[in-house]
């Protein structure tokens, strides 16, 4: 699994982004895999069709500490 | 006079007990004396600052006070646009860029409040890094112990304030970049609510997370700076239109009735850090009543969600330069940015779309019936520069994780966070807690921070090295 992801990252670095890696594909692949898994696992069961990025600033204003008034 | 707080020196200038010119001259002298040890400044605007001070003194003699910062020398992280000055952002890439044509909104607001701008401050390259390490400009060093890291990425802001060269400084914070250098140098560092302070003219790491805020030696000083900075700005569409209270006026009262919680499972901390946190919780209980311990089960998830936003947005910003001038980046920043190129777009959009729901959930559970959460800022003692060397092979990811594990989750939630100095670690270096508030709860956090640090006896003398005094010594 990790070797396949590493190979995918090597191809992505070269062909999609045209960048010379400084971290090395194995380290980048580990980090991508870690973050992808963490976010996928929290998002898939939680995400509702109505969730959208604009909810966030609205929530900040809606929950404002009354000490700010 | 450099030992006075921002509030004290501003009052003395207004009362004409001392001139802005005298204060600014002393600040320049201290900045130049400290520079070989801290490397906090990229450029000291000596002539320009003295011209500003003379003009402000003339205005004062004519009976005009611009605002609460009239005549007070400040300096700022080199990530803010200034008319007529280079903004190098701690990088080789932008070190020789053309001078700016307008001021960042935050700088313009500080100038309108009467502040003197003493210069550009050192920082981690491209506002990315928790240590102050910078292979292009030389590392910024801690004013308490030059062998230890200053914290970053607003490293010069921390060292300039802690060494007494200026009374306050602006930093920017994507995942901890105000809070970490403040925590490591005994300062109050305020990451405001996302959208509280305009980001216009501030070089970004990640637009969805970046916040601009003050770093000072007292909570009252941070309140004075925030009062000048806060408010919606047409130049920054993410700035939010919420009331701006008189933070400084409320510092004696806004903590009244506050309900505080902490985390049931605070995770691994070094013993001396855990002991200082327990000291704080004891004092907080005495002042504000029983402190409930709550579970924050999504702590790790919020860290990852914020990390995805940060890495993808940073890689978008830097992709072209990484392809064309990759060798001009430090190893640490290039390496940290690379994963963002390969994270699926779906993960990025999930992190954005879930953010409002995650905030709702956090406030309804961890912060239910509570006004502030107390937790550590950094779970380990301030490391030496050798221990935290991010340019060494394979070191960047573990160093960043060790230092930012407590700061980044709250960046994702967009909440205001104040670092409060609470004592010293086994090496005599500052230890800090984070006070996390509800959205736009800065007035309460500043009042809480002032009261708690005073109750712990925290007080320190800026200088080289900075030294604690009072009951906490």
């Amino acid at each position: 699994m990790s070797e396949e992801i590493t190979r995918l990252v090597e191809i992505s670095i070269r062909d999609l982004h045209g960048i010379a890696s400084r971290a090395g594909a194995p380290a980048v692949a580990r980090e991508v895999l870690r973050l992808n898994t963490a976010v996928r696992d929290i998002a898939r069961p939680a995400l509702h069709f109505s969730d959208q990025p604009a909810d966030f600033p609205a929530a900040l204003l809606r929950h404002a500490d009354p000490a700010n008034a | 006079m450099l030992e006075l707080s921002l509030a004290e020196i501003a009052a003395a200038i207004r009362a004409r007990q001392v001139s802005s010119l005298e204060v600014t001259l002393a600040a320049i002298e201290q900045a130049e004396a400290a520079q070989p040890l801290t490397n906090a400044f990229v450029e000291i605007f000596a002539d320009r600052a003295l011209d500003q001070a003379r003009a402000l003194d003339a205005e004062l003699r004519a009976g005009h006070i611009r605002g609460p910062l009239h005549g007070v020398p400040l300096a700022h992280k080199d990530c803010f646009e200034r008319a007529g000055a280079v903004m190098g952002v701690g990088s080789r890439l932008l070190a020789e860029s053309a001078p700016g044509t307008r001021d960042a909104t935050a700088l313009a607001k500080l100038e309108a409040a009467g502040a003197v701008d003493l210069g550009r401050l050192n920082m981690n390259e491209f506002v990315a890094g928790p240590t102050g390490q910078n292979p292009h400009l030389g590392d910024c060093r801690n004013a308490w112990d030059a062998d230890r890291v200053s914290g970053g990425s607003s490293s010069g802001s921390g060292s300039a304030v802690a060494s007494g060269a200026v009374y306050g400084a602006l930093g920017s914070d994507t995942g901890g970049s105000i809070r970490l250098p403040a925590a490591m140098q005994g300062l109050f560092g305020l990451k405001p609510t996302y959208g509280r302070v305009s980001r216009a003219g501030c070089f970004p790491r990640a637009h969805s997370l970046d916040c601009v805020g003050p770093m000072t030696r007292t909570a009252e000083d941070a309140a004075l700076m925030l009062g000048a900075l806060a408010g919606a700005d047409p130049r920054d569409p993410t700035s939010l239109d919420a009331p701006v209270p008189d933070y400084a006026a409320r510092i004696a009262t806004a903590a009244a009735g506050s309900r505080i919680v902490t985390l049931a499972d605070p995770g691994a901390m070094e013993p001396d850090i855990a002991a200082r946190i327990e000291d704080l919780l004891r004092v907080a209980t005495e002042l504000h009543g029983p402190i409930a311990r709550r579970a924050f089960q999504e702590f790790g998830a919020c860290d990852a969600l914020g990390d995805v936003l940060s890495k993808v947005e940073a890689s978008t910003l830097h992709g072209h330069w990484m392809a064309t001038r990759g060798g001009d980046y430090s190893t640490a920043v290039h390496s940290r940015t690379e994963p963002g190129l390969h994270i699926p777009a779906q993960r990025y959009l999930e992190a954005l779309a879930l953010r409002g729901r995650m905030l709702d959930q956090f406030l309804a559970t961890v912060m239910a019936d509570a006004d502030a959460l107390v937790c550590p800022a950094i779970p380990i003692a301030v490391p030496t520069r050798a221990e935290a060397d991010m340019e060494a092979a394979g070191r960047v990811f573990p160093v960043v994780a060790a230092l930012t594990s407590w700061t980044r989750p709250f960046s994702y939630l967009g909440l205001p966070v104040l670092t409060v100095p609470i004592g010293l670690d086994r090496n005599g270096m500052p230890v800090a807690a984070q006070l996390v508030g509800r959205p736009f709860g800065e007035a309460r956090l500043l009042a809480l921070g002032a009261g708690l640090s005073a109750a712990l006896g925290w007080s320190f003398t800026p200088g080289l090295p900075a030294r604690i005094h009072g009951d906490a010594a």
Side-chain angles (χ1 to χ4, degrees):
Chain A
M1 176 67 148
S2 61
E3 286 182 8
E4 291 169 346
I5 293 291
T6 298
R7 180 69 185 135
L8 191 64
V9 165
E10 283 173 345
I11 294 167
S12 173
I13 291 171
R14 187 191 63 220
D15 294 348
L16 298 186
H17 300 291
I19 286 170
S21 177
R22 301 266 295 273
V28 174
R30 279 194 299 274
E31 189 70 353
V32 170
L33 202 56
R34 178 183 74 82
L35 291 171
N36 183 75
T37 302
V39 172
R40 186 191 61 201
D41 290 354
I42 188 78
R44 281 192 172 164
L47 201 63
H48 186 267
F49 69 84
S50 64
D51 290 331
Q52 55 184 314
D55 293 340
F56 173 65
L60 287 174
L61 291 167
R62 186 171 66 251
H63 292 298
D65 188 331
N68 189 59
Chain B
M1 70 182 107
L2 295 174
E3 294 181 5
L4 298 177
S5 70
L6 188 162
E8 290 168 336
I9 200 68
I13 292 170
R14 282 197 300 275
R16 300 179 64 178
Q17 294 164 349
V18 64
S19 69
S20 175
L21 183 62
E22 290 172 301
V23 177
T24 303
L25 277 167
I28 292 169
E29 189 175 318
Q30 178 69 356
E32 290 174 341
Q35 185 64 10
L37 191 68
T38 63
N39 195 29
F41 280 80
V42 177
E43 182 179 6
I44 300 173
F45 298 146
D47 292 340
R48 177 170 145 172
L50 292 172
D51 287 345
Q52 268 188 298
R54 289 188 190 95
L56 288 160
D57 284 336
E59 289 182 28
L60 192 59
R61 285 194 296 273
H64 176 62
I65 297 174
R66 286 196 194 182
L69 309 177
H70 194 105
V72 177
L74 308 175
H76 309 294
K77 185 177 186 178
D78 189 21
C79 62
F80 295 95
E81 285 184 306
R82 287 179 172 90
V86 169
M87 175 181 68
V89 203
S91 71
R92 180 183 294 163
L93 262 155
L94 299 180
E96 307 296 330
S97 58
T101 56
R102 64 192 300 189
D103 290 336
T105 295
L107 294 187
K109 286 192 166 194
L110 293 177
E111 184 177 353
V116 172
D117 183 359
L118 205 66
R120 302 192 283 140
L121 295 173
N122 201 349
M123 54 185 287
N124 281 90
E125 181 187 27
F126 285 126
V127 294
T131 64
Q133 187 174 21
N134 187 315
H136 309 307
L137 302 172
D139 297 355
C140 183
R141 296 182 285 277
N142 195 305
W144 292 68
D145 179 347
D147 288 335
R148 296 186 185 275
V149 300
S150 58
S153 63
S154 307
S155 44
S157 304
S159 297
V161 177
S163 66
V166 288
Y167 296 89
L170 283 182
S172 67
D173 190 312
T174 307
S177 285
I178 287 173
R179 289 165 282 167
L180 296 171
M184 293 185 197
Q185 303 206 52
L187 306 177
F188 290 80
L190 178 64
K191 184 205 86 66
T193 306
Y194 182 77
R196 172 77 295 186
V197 174
S198 172
R199 299 180 296 109
C202 177
F203 193 92
R205 176 68 181 170
H207 289 288
S208 296
L209 300 169
D210 293 344
C211 294
V212 172
M215 298 166 64
T216 57
R217 296 194 290 265
T218 73
E220 183 184 13
D221 293 352
L224 285 169
M225 285 185 67
L226 182 64
L229 293 164
D233 175 17
R235 291 179 61 198
D236 176 4
T238 63
S239 64
L240 294 172
D241 189 10
V244 178
D246 185 339
Y247 296 103
R250 293 193 180 191
I251 203 142
T253 59
S258 293
R259 302 155 299 175
I260 299 174
V261 296
T262 190
L263 296 181
D265 179 13
M269 270 184 281
E270 291 182 352
D272 43 347
I273 309 300
R276 297 292 83 76
I277 293 292
E278 286 304 316
D279 292 343
L280 173 65
L281 293 174
R282 175 180 47 76
V283 166
T285 302
E286 291 168 7
L287 292 177
H288 300 286
I291 294 174
R293 293 180 184 259
R294 301 267 171 80
F296 180 14
Q297 292 171 342
E298 289 75 28
F299 188 87
C302 287
D303 183 74
L305 289 158
D307 208 2
V308 163
L309 295 185
S310 179
K311 283 188 165 61
V312 173
E313 293 184 17
S315 69
T316 303
L317 176 68
H318 290 279
H320 176 67
W321 286 334
M322 289 168 74
T324 57
R325 296 183 61 180
D328 285 342
Y329 283 85
S330 68
T331 298
V333 171
H334 197 284
S335 299
R336 280 187 70 193
T337 308
E338 282 184 48
L341 297 164
H342 314 290
I343 291 168
Q346 197 174 13
R347 298 291 93 78
Y348 173 73
L349 288 167
E350 286 167 349
L352 278 181
L354 269 181
R355 205 173 178 196
R357 180 184 293 271
M358 295 295 282
L359 176 59
D360 287 342
Q361 187 175 326
F362 178 81
L363 294 173
T365 55
V366 181
M367 294 282 280
D369 303 319
D371 303 298
L373 167 74
V374 173
C375 67
I378 308 167
I380 59 174
V382 179
T384 65
R385 291 165 56 211
E387 288 168 342
D389 179 7
M390 297 196 302
E391 292 298 302
R395 294 281 293 144
V396 62
F397 294 118
V399 168
V400 171
L403 293 174
T404 64
S405 61
W406 279 95
T407 54
R408 190 158 40 212
F410 304 113
S411 297
Y412 177 71
L413 294 170
L415 295 168
V417 189
L418 177 70
T419 53
V420 179
I422 58 172
L424 300 178
D425 67 21
R426 60 189 177 276
N427 303 310
M429 297 298 291
V431 176
Q434 293 186 105
L435 297 181
V436 183
R438 289 179 165 271
F440 301 100
E442 287 85 356
R444 187 190 302 277
L445 294 185
L446 290 162
L448 282 169
L452 291 169
S453 65
L456 286 165
W458 176 264
S459 177
F460 86 98
T461 303
L464 294 170
R467 277 288 173 260
I468 195 167
H469 61 76
D471 297 343

